[in-house]
């Protein structure tokens, strides 16, 4: 399977905020087991389009600014699902309605395959996304409710969600590690398998050095083919430390890459902003720093950031990656940092 993703942009305009008059907002009671995604989906709403609006509407009624309370009533953002109004001018608003067009990508799975264009903010940008481990190597392992969980499954799910976000803003995206049948999943416990392959349907080697070199070669070859274009690399891992160590999201970059540092810093700043807004009582302790000792940081050519998302062995951090709502939030926050980096322009030559 040689899966190269790109998106075609369509000529229509989207309102940046939904109409949310308080007297017309629908409310719904949260049942046992409901999360933000499942609650919105039950109401026939695309949860990925209105996630932030839902959080803003219900901020005072959420635990840790992201989890629902069973038995409480929540407001559902009022939006038009399948059509958007087209504004002719500031003085005259047209009632013309256009159908939102999308493009399907099977790699995201049947439920999530359709990508709708939200903007052209990343038009012209190329992103290489790598989820850690895969194939014969599951990465860090832990137990949850008596069941084994593996780093590679959760890193891959977050990477797919990030890819979909970047595509929706007009980017060209290459997913370097791929699973032919997983897609984006809404389960807490993601089943472990070993059928992941590298881009071009390449078998992933068991040997660690050979595995990393394979990824470096694929990325650097693509970097050469896309020479002269705006290119960035994002690598996603889940850390493994002692069970008692609760950590935040960390970002690494090459010590000599100004653009890699800027990318890491942009995503880091976005996380600081989100924590301040959604979790004001909790201090965000994640950092961004150079770590050239990491093989992919040292050997790949595009400006890049290497992301560590929590400690898979820590109970608090497990909630961050096991909850599908949290995985979606992580992907969306990373994508917003990516947009911030792209719109900020270049700092020095592209590494």
């Amino acid at each position: 399977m040689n899966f190269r993703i790109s998106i075609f942009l369509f000529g229509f305009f989207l309102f940046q905020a939904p109409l949310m008059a308080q007297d017309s907002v629908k409310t719904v009671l949260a049942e046992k087991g409901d999360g933000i995604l499942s609650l919105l989906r039950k109401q026939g709403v695309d949860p990925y389009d209105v996630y932030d609006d839902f959080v803003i509407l219900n901020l005072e009624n959420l635990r840790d600014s992201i989890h629902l309370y069973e038995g409480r009533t929540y407001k559902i953002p009022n939006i038009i699902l399948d059509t958007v109004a087209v504004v002719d001018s500031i003085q005259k608003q047209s009632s013309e309605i256009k159908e939102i067009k999308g493009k399907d990508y099977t790699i995201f799975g049947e439920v999530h395959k359709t990508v709708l264009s939200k903007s052209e903010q990343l038009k012209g940008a190329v992103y290489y996304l790598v989820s850690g481990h895969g194939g014969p190597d599951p990465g860090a392992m832990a137990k949850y409710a008596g069941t084994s969980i593996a780093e590679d499954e959760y890193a891959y799910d977050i990477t797919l969600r990030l890819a979909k976000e970047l595509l929706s803003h007009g980017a060209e995206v290459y997913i370097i590690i791929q699973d032919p049948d997983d897609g984006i999943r809404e389960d807490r416990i993601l089943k472990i398998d070993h059928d992941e392959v590298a881009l071009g349907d390449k078998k992933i080697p068991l040997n660690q050095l050979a595995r990393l070199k394979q990824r470096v070669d694929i990325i650097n070859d693509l970097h050469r083919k896309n020479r002269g274009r705006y290119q960035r690399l994002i690598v996603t891992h889940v850390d493994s430390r002692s069970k008692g160590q609760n950590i935040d999201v960390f970002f690494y970059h090459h010590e000599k890459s100004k653009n890699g540092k800027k990318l890491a810093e942009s995503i880091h700043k976005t996380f600081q902003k989100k924590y301040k807004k959604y979790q004001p009582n909790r201090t965000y302790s994640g950092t961004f720093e150079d770590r050239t000792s990491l093989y992919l940081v040292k050997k790949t050519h595009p400006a890049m950031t290497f992301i560590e998302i929590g400690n898979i062995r820590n109970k608090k951090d497990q909630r961050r990656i096991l909850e599908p709502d949290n995985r979606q939030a992580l992907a969306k926050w990373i994508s917003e940092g990516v947009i911030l980096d792209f719109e900020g322009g270049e700092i020095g030559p592209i590494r």
Side-chain angles (χ1 to χ4, degrees):
M1 176 177 57
N2 190 343
F3 196 94
R4 171 185 176 277
I5 299 181
S6 60
I7 192 166
F8 295 94
L9 299 166
F10 299 86
F12 60 84
F13 300 92
L14 290 175
F15 285 123
Q16 293 302 306
L19 301 176
M20 294 187 291
Q22 293 300 313
D23 59 355
S24 63
V25 171
K26 180 180 178 180
T27 60
V28 63
L29 194 70
E31 300 175 347
K32 184 176 181 180
D34 276 340
I36 295 177
L37 297 181
S38 61
L39 185 75
L40 291 171
R41 196 173 287 113
K42 287 179 183 178
Q43 304 307 309
V45 178
D46 185 336
Y48 305 106
D49 284 346
V50 302
Y51 186 93
D52 282 352
D53 298 310
F54 178 90
V55 171
I56 291 169
L57 272 178
N58 298 282
L59 187 58
E60 296 181 356
N61 212 15
L62 296 171
R63 176 170 55 84
D64 295 331
S65 304
I66 201 167
H67 299 292
L68 306 179
Y69 288 101
E70 179 185 351
R72 291 193 184 181
T73 299
Y74 292 91
K75 301 170 185 176
I76 304 299
N78 180 20
I79 66 167
I80 301 172
L81 296 180
D82 297 319
T83 58
V84 291
V86 180
V87 181
D88 287 338
S89 67
I90 295 177
Q91 293 78 23
K92 179 182 177 182
Q93 289 192 357
S94 170
S95 60
E96 177 187 356
I97 300 297
K98 281 191 176 182
E99 181 183 356
I100 298 177
K101 296 181 179 180
K103 186 173 176 62
D104 290 348
Y105 300 93
T106 58
I107 197 167
F108 297 133
E110 184 62 28
V111 174
H112 296 278
K113 66 181 180 182
T114 303
V115 176
L116 300 178
S117 177
K118 297 176 183 177
S119 77
E120 296 186 3
Q121 287 176 285
L122 294 175
K123 184 178 181 180
V126 179
Y127 293 94
Y128 310 111
L129 305 185
V130 179
S131 54
H133 305 279
D137 175 24
M141 301 284 292
K143 288 280 187 179
Y144 178 81
T147 303
S148 294
I149 56 175
E151 171 185 2
D152 68 324
E153 302 296 341
Y154 293 92
Y156 182 64
D157 190 76
I158 293 168
T159 296
L160 288 185
R161 293 170 187 270
L162 174 59
K164 189 171 181 180
E165 285 293 323
L166 299 181
L167 284 168
S168 74
H169 292 290
E172 183 175 320
V173 180
Y174 294 84
I175 300 175
I176 305 302
I177 302 302
Q178 303 176 9
D179 189 297
D181 50 28
D182 276 350
I184 293 173
R185 292 176 280 179
E186 300 300 342
D187 305 301
R188 289 172 59 83
I189 297 178
L190 301 183
K191 182 180 178 181
I192 300 173
D193 60 27
H194 304 283
D195 58 347
E196 294 86 5
V197 296
L199 183 66
D201 205 21
K202 297 181 175 69
K203 183 178 179 180
I204 298 174
L206 176 61
N207 177 270
Q208 182 185 21
L209 183 59
R211 186 171 62 249
L212 294 175
K213 187 176 185 304
Q214 179 189 62
R215 296 170 194 204
V216 167
D217 289 344
I218 292 172
I219 293 163
N220 289 346
D221 183 56
L222 288 169
H223 183 259
R224 285 190 294 272
K225 290 178 180 178
N226 287 309
R227 189 179 302 279
R229 302 180 64 184
Y230 182 99
Q231 304 180 59
R232 295 292 185 268
L233 165 64
I234 301 172
V235 180
T236 305
H237 278 255
V238 182
D239 208 344
S240 176
R241 305 189 185 191
S242 67
K243 292 182 179 180
Q245 192 168 0
N246 172 219
I247 65 174
D248 271 313
V249 183
F250 288 79
F251 308 93
Y252 303 113
H253 60 86
H254 194 287
E255 62 182 353
K256 295 182 179 179
S257 174
K258 292 181 179 180
N259 289 320
K261 179 180 179 181
K262 178 171 168 288
L263 174 61
E265 183 177 13
S266 295
I267 304 174
H268 179 260
K269 284 183 176 179
T270 301
F271 270 67
Q272 286 181 315
K273 180 179 177 182
K274 295 295 185 180
Y275 268 75
K276 185 176 181 180
K277 181 177 181 179
Y278 295 137
Q279 300 186 41
N281 297 322
R282 182 186 170 193
T283 302
Y284 172 60
S285 60
T287 61
F288 76 96
E289 59 190 66
D290 62 83
R291 194 169 176 182
T292 312
S293 59
L294 294 170
Y295 191 90
L296 261 65
V297 175
K298 184 177 182 179
K299 297 292 186 178
T300 52
H301 294 163
M304 65 93 72
T305 186
F306 187 108
I307 306 176
E308 291 276 13
I309 299 175
N311 175 10
I312 196 171
R313 301 181 66 200
N314 179 269
K315 295 299 182 184
K316 290 183 179 179
D317 283 355
Q318 282 181 350
R319 287 199 294 270
R320 177 185 292 150
I321 65 170
L322 265 64
E323 289 284 353
D325 287 21
N326 289 354
R327 297 198 298 270
Q328 180 61 29
L330 285 167
K332 186 163 178 49
W333 293 3
I334 293 169
S335 73
E336 290 182 20
V338 168
I339 292 172
L340 177 65
D341 169 67
F342 182 67
E343 292 186 335
E346 294 288 343
I347 302 177
I350 299 177
R351 189 181 76 79

